[in-house]
Amino acid sequence: QVFVADNIKEVIPEFLMLLKGTIDCPDLPLNVSRSFLQNDGYVQKISAHISKKVADKLSALFKNQRDDYNGYWDDINPFIKYGCMRDQKFYERVKDLIIFKNLDEDFITLDEYLDKNKEKHENQVFYISDKTQQSQYIRLFKENDLDAVYLDNIIDTHFISFLEMNEQSVKFKRVDADISQSLKDTQDEDDKKSNKETDKAIEKLFKKVIGKDELKIEVEALKNASLPAMILLSEESRRMEEMTARFGDMGMNYPMPKEETLIINRNSNLIQSLVELSKDDSKDENIKMMCQHIYDLALISHKP
């Protein structure tokens, strides 16, 4: 019954810093020097036991009081995700309790998301990190009956990399990193062949006007005809960019290249009109202005 300390990080795992309470432990030595605690097997057992009890409590809430659990999730998920990355045993206990909010504002587990979307994009999880910035892509997904999850917490960039290491068949992609096959207009091989020359002409036209050698330009037939063009940034390139921004350049003296791709929508009336106009040499100035404007609109939609 002696007060020993009000905070012993060796006893309470640091990811459980939100816990409030008292540990009454008769076997804890009164001489609680840091070096002694770090090497004391009993202290490590207490720490592991606390982690297990928290995991058990979360599991009970998930199974018996799911609405309450969903209500707590926004507040507790950074601690749970951090705990998973710090303690593999904790991850194994709670991995089936990790939930995500989807486009319908419902909470679902990773397995539920993968099962629901396996016919559209198997083992791929599309996610949104900024609801406002990626609103154009969210609208596209909703129009084509596709689903994505919100991952807008600062820890999520690291957590999805951690999940990919543990669930090796699963890949996370931000909604502006790739085009799902479900967004593309299905064409037969004859259509593709007949459009090959037109596609090359469109690529050449935009490449010449924009004048950026590092920018990839691809022509696709999208279901949404009102969208003339969109920007995609590769998942790997963006993650590296975010990590560099967060942790400094770590001694790198060269900027990381951005793997941006401009997707031109062949089904857009504006693009089709542009192809027709390009046959008239007297319209060169108009064509240049329109190409630049289409690219600017795509950039604004991608990152205001």
Side-chain angles (χ1 to χ4, degrees):
Q1 302 298 313
V2 176
F3 174 71
V4 176
D6 58 2
N7 179 21
I8 304 176
K9 65 186 177 76
E10 285 79 11
V11 175
I12 308 225
E14 60 184 340
F15 63 89
L16 294 177
M17 62 181 84
L18 77 167
L19 283 182
K20 300 277 185 198
T22 304
I23 296 175
D24 186 13
C25 177
D27 299 302
L28 197 66
L30 296 182
N31 177 24
V32 284
S33 66
R34 286 280 180 250
S35 59
F36 184 91
L37 284 169
Q38 284 167 350
N39 298 315
D40 187 75
Y42 190 74
V43 167
Q44 290 167 7
K45 281 183 183 176
I46 298 172
S47 179
H49 183 68
I50 292 170
S51 294
K52 181 179 181 301
K53 293 301 283 183
V54 169
D56 290 345
K57 179 66 177 174
L58 289 170
S59 180
L61 278 171
F62 180 83
K63 289 171 183 169
N64 305 320
Q65 297 168 260
R66 185 65 189 270
D67 289 342
D68 289 344
Y69 183 85
N70 292 350
Y72 300 145
W73 183 251
D74 285 340
D75 294 321
I76 64 174
N77 80 80
F79 298 96
I80 294 173
K81 290 170 182 175
Y82 182 53
C84 289
M85 291 190 282
R86 289 303 301 260
D87 183 344
Q88 190 67 26
K89 283 185 180 175
F90 183 74
Y91 168 68
E92 294 299 331
R93 290 188 180 110
V94 303
K95 64 181 182 179
D96 295 328
L97 316 178
I98 294 166
I99 53 176
F100 304 88
K101 189 185 282 186
N102 68 2
L103 293 181
D104 296 326
E105 303 286 323
D106 294 327
F107 283 102
I108 57 174
T109 63
L110 182 61
D111 286 341
E112 286 168 349
Y113 176 90
L114 292 171
D115 188 55
K116 179 183 172 186
N117 297 284
K118 64 184 177 186
E119 290 178 11
K120 296 168 186 172
H121 42 85
E122 191 173 10
N123 287 335
Q124 272 196 346
V125 180
F126 285 98
Y127 69 93
I128 296 140
S129 59
D130 187 322
K131 196 172 184 177
T132 307
Q133 183 182 314
Q134 289 145 25
S135 58
Q136 174 195 356
Y137 304 91
I138 293 170
R139 181 169 54 83
L140 269 177
F141 267 58
K142 284 182 175 177
E143 284 172 358
N144 291 281
D145 196 29
L146 291 171
D147 203 6
V149 296
Y150 291 103
L151 291 173
D152 49 10
N153 199 294
I154 195 165
I155 200 172
D156 285 330
T157 306
H158 309 287
F159 186 63
I160 58 177
S161 299
F162 170 81
L163 281 179
E164 285 172 342
M165 281 193 298
N166 284 275
E167 312 288 335
Q168 293 192 353
S169 61
V170 179
K171 290 291 172 199
F172 283 79
K173 286 192 174 178
R174 205 166 78 172
V175 286
D176 55 357
D178 195 11
I179 294 183
S180 167
Q181 283 299 121
S182 304
L183 294 176
K184 296 178 185 178
D185 203 359
T186 49
Q187 300 174 308
D188 58 37
E189 288 304 312
D190 291 337
D191 282 342
K192 287 181 181 176
K193 286 173 186 173
S194 65
N195 285 313
K196 205 168 185 180
E197 291 303 314
T198 308
D199 290 355
K200 279 186 179 176
I202 294 170
E203 281 180 39
K204 193 175 176 183
L205 184 64
F206 275 85
K207 199 93 177 164
K208 182 181 173 185
V209 171
I210 296 165
K212 287 186 177 180
D213 293 334
E214 71 278 8
L215 180 69
K216 292 181 187 173
I217 296 175
E218 293 177 7
V219 181
E220 295 281 2
L222 304 180
K223 287 179 181 176
N224 187 325
S226 66
L227 182 72
M230 62 194 290
I231 295 277
L232 299 181
L233 177 61
S234 84
E235 184 70 14
E236 292 76 16
S237 171
R238 189 187 48 71
R239 283 196 208 180
M240 187 61 74
E241 186 187 349
E242 285 179 2
M243 283 187 150
T244 305
R246 197 158 290 155
F247 298 113
D249 61 9
M250 293 180 287
M252 292 189 288
N253 297 318
Y254 55 90
M256 292 298 297
K258 272 189 179 182
E259 291 181 36
E260 283 186 348
T261 305
L262 177 66
I263 303 291
I264 311 290
N265 182 12
R266 190 195 307 120
N267 285 350
S268 162
N269 292 332
L270 183 59
I271 299 299
Q272 289 170 6
S273 302
L274 200 59
V275 172
E276 289 302 311
L277 271 178
S278 65
K279 296 170 185 173
D280 185 349
D281 292 341
S282 66
K283 303 285 186 184
D284 265 7
E285 284 306 309
N286 289 7
I287 292 162
K288 283 179 185 175
M289 185 178 71
M290 285 170 71
C291 287
Q292 188 63 52
H293 189 57
I294 289 166
Y295 176 56
D296 287 344
L297 284 173
L299 277 179
I300 288 169
S301 295
H302 177 64
K303 192 160 188 179

